[in-house]
Amino acid sequence: MSLAIVIAVDGPAAAGKGTLARRLAATLCLPYLDTGLLYRATGRRVLDREADPHDATIAAAEAAALRPEDLHRADLRGPAADMAASTVAAIPAVRAALLDWQREFGRRHGAVMDGRDIGTVVFPEAPVKLFVTASPEERGRRRWLELQARGVAADAAQVEAEIRARDAQDAGRPVAPLKPAADALLLDTTRMDAEAAFAAALAMVRSRLNLLDPGATKA
């Protein structure tokens, strides 16, 4: 594979795009970037200041001051971090502060990048764009199970409501709204387990890149 290849994996929260993107990156020997962490870390930095994530001036300053170690914080998941990330992501100055960082990462060695606007804004020229989705009910269930596994008490109905609120906020923002790119390949994982979803995603990527399945060259 060319080191310049960027594979864009977009979709709503808890659709499984992060798991798919990490496995695709490992399989295709490409770097991986969860761009959502940039917004989560920015939102968390704003919350650390006890400021309102809607404050564009503070949010933009925190985005510009983001450090690599901020992406490895243990508190970047959960309802508060989710909503803070979605809120700061709607601020044009925040997106501008983080856009060049994302593009430089992808152009340096190629990458599999997941987020909400990789195929529409960050790398509209990417040769492969996947839009990974699932029903709100299933995504709420997955997020609730994730929280349970981490020992975080949560109400399943409330988690689903938060997923729906996040969807509405992400899709309705005026800057880089969540939507499939015109040439994105749609993957609905509602009725798929992790293995089936990965197999489908990998087949889509290989088809778009016209790559041979390594297994087909054996025997």
Side-chain angles (χ1 to χ4, degrees), residues 34-178:
D34 175 359
T35 63
L37 288 180
L38 301 174
Y39 296 97
R40 288 177 176 276
T42 298
R44 179 54 66 183
R45 286 177 62 103
V46 173
L47 295 177
D48 287 347
R49 293 181 57 174
E50 298 185 353
D52 183 351
H54 292 91
D55 188 318
T57 300
I58 292 177
E62 294 304 326
L66 203 64
R67 303 165 299 175
E69 53 265 36
D70 289 324
L71 305 185
H72 301 287
R73 292 177 54 153
D75 56 357
L76 298 183
R77 303 289 179 183
D82 289 351
M83 292 308 295
S86 184
T87 299
V88 300
I91 298 172
V94 170
R95 303 199 74 86
L98 299 176
L99 181 59
D100 287 344
W101 195 97
Q102 295 174 72
R103 285 178 171 167
E104 176 59 25
F105 183 96
R107 288 169 178 161
R108 193 179 307 127
H109 298 298
V112 178
M113 303 174 68
D114 82 70
R116 285 169 172 74
D117 67 341
I118 308 304
T120 54
V121 175
V122 181
F123 277 104
E125 73 277 18
V128 183
K129 301 168 189 165
L130 300 182
F131 191 87
V132 184
T133 189
S135 70
E137 295 83 0
E138 175 61 15
R139 290 187 288 117
R141 186 187 72 86
R142 292 174 185 174
R143 179 55 53 83
W144 179 77
L145 289 175
E146 175 189 321
L147 293 171
Q148 292 293 298
R150 287 167 29 211
V152 178
D155 176 75
Q158 180 62 31
V159 171
E160 182 183 326
E162 290 165 353
I163 287 284
R164 291 179 181 276
R166 178 76 188 271
D167 288 352
Q169 183 162 302
D170 289 347
R173 66 192 180 209
V175 179
L178 171 67

Side-chain angles (χ1 to χ4, degrees), residues 189-203:
T189 67
T190 301
R191 294 178 174 82
M192 294 181 180
D193 62 18
E195 289 303 319
F198 173 67
L202 185 59

